[in-house]
Amino acid sequence: MMCAAYAKGRVLIVDHARAPGEKIRISGGGRCNFTNLHSGPHAFLSQNPHFAKSALARYTQWDFIDLVDRHGIAWHEKTLGQLFCDGSAKEIIAMLRRLMQENGVNVNLQTTARDFAKTPEGFDFTLDQGGHTQKVQTKTLVLATGGKSIPKMGATGLAYDIAAQFGLTVTETRPALVPFTFPEGRFAPLAGVAAPACVTAGAQSFDEAVLFTHRGLSGPAVLQASSYWREGDPITLNLCPEGGLLPALQKKRGIAGGRKLTNELAQFLPARLVEHLSGVMALSGNLADQSDAALTSMVQSLQNWTLTPAGTEGYRTAEVTLGGIDTGALSAKTMEVASVPGLFFIGEAVDVTGWLGGYNFQWAWSSGMAAARALA
Ligand SMILES: Cc1cc2nc3c(=O)[nH]c(=O)nc-3n(C[C@H](O)[C@H](O)[C@H](O)COP(=O)(O)OP(=O)(O)OC[C@H]3O[C@@H](n4cnc5c(N)ncnc54)[C@H](O)[C@@H]3O)c2cc1C
């Protein structure tokens, strides 16, 4: 939609969904976390971490904020630079639809496209609207069909299939920004408990909330870490990311040594979590029973709770797809395929994946705009 809104010439959008921008509509709990104040290449994963720089710099978060402001959409920063609509995500969709209308874009919904072929003039393909088919010729073809996340919402691997058809490489794709699963019932007694934590997977750590669920672990810090996790790897939870627990316990031991250790810990962590941990880490006795060495060792355990997920919830709930069209084939400035002039890939289909927090939409806006400018 972003690309169509700004591309010059006659633009036809083909989408098999009933409505455009369905992921925008459901995003951010219906308020769309449409960008992040701190957007920059550091917040994106790709086999080529430099690829996203150009598009992100040429159409920035400030450009999108300016657009949103000009359309009178009120917004607020929730946390960590994440910007949400005050009202509804539908305002972002309405803005994009208005821009497309102003640009004379022809939007074909509940329509599929197939049988793509290269011609000397560009490309041709077949449009299918409920069995009514039509051949279409075009000079340029922009693939903005997203990744594999949430097939129920219409996600398909069309962009990857077309990339393969034109001899491009698709890097390994994986569900990302996705909850972890653990063996049946492991955290069931803790379902609904949330706590601040620093979660580490691979070499990356995220300091936000963790949520225990019937099936495993979720919450922003866990979703973020999932993008850096591989099957069989452990993750580490630091349940006292702020520090300060050890001196606080030592001080309390001096003035109220008769207090139960678990009761005291429940001042710092949710009580149900402390109860669970008391089984896992053998927390028992009164504060006065704890030597400095015992308290130090317990705090170290809380700061280094290592768990190995059984897996993830997969594409069924993943917010994004990690990996995609290998950026080596694309111009970083325009998103055009160097070996197939006129063919463009933008958005989540490309091997550029943002952190949680509005970065993925910013990539959609920036890469869409990069292609639009090339079509001017
Ligand atoms: C639940 C959820 C919440 C999210 N929240 C946020 C958030 O708050 N902030 C953020 O930055 N990111 C968020 N994301 C990620 C963000 O939605 C995506 O990264 C972004 O929408 C990608 O844009 P895109 O245009 O590349 O692809 P999409 O938005 O996925 O659009 C692809 C379009 O192509 C159509 N399509 C697919 N296959 C075909 C086909 N074969 N034929 C015809 N049409 C096809 C689809 O119907 C769809 O309309 C969220 C994702 C999910 C699932």
Side-chain angles (χ1 to χ4, degrees), residues 267-352:
Q267 307 291 315
F268 297 88
L269 294 167
R272 275 163 69 200
L273 178 57
V274 174
E275 195 186 323
H276 178 83
L277 291 170
S278 66
V280 182
M281 296 177 186
L283 313 173
S284 60
N286 294 335
L287 281 175
D289 304 330
Q290 318 294 325
S291 64
D292 275 346
L295 284 182
T296 304
S297 151
M298 181 204 67
V299 170
Q300 280 169 353
S301 301
L302 293 175
Q303 288 176 327
N304 199 13
W305 189 19
T306 301
L307 299 163
T308 303
T312 73
E313 293 283 2
Y315 289 119
R316 190 177 61 81
T317 64
E319 280 199 16
V320 282
T321 302
L322 189 68
I325 316 298
D326 191 342
T327 59
L330 309 179
S331 154
K333 193 173 167 200
T334 64
M335 304 292 135
E336 189 171 18
V337 177
S339 60
V340 190
L343 181 63
F344 295 73
F345 290 90
I346 57 176
E348 195 180 316
V350 178
D351 172 29
V352 173

Side-chain angles (χ1 to χ4, degrees), residues 58-78:
R58 293 174 70 234
Y59 190 84
T60 67
Q61 60 272 42
W62 312 113
D63 293 318
F64 195 76
I65 292 167
D66 183 51
L67 181 66
V68 162
D69 284 344
R70 278 190 278 121
H71 285 258
I73 300 175
W75 52 268
H76 60 279
E77 179 186 352
K78 200 166 166 192

Side-chain angles (χ1 to χ4, degrees), residues 1 14-24 26-29 31-35 83-84 111-113 143-147 149-150 153-159 177 317-321 346-350 355-365 367:
M1 288 195 279
V14 181
D15 196 316
H16 64 178
R18 275 170 200 270
E22 280 293 90
K23 284 196 179 165
I24 299 175
I26 62 158
S27 67
R31 291 223 159 89
C32 186
N33 178 193
F34 56 80
T35 193
L83 303 192
F84 288 75
T111 307
T112 56
L143 269 298
T145 50
S149 306
I150 320 211
M153 290 187 71
T156 69
L158 180 66
L177 301 183
T317 64
E319 280 199 16
V320 282
T321 302
I346 57 176
E348 195 180 316
V350 178
W355 286 352
L356 188 79
Y359 298 101
N360 284 296
F361 278 136
Q362 185 58 47
W363 172 246
W365 319 139
S367 60

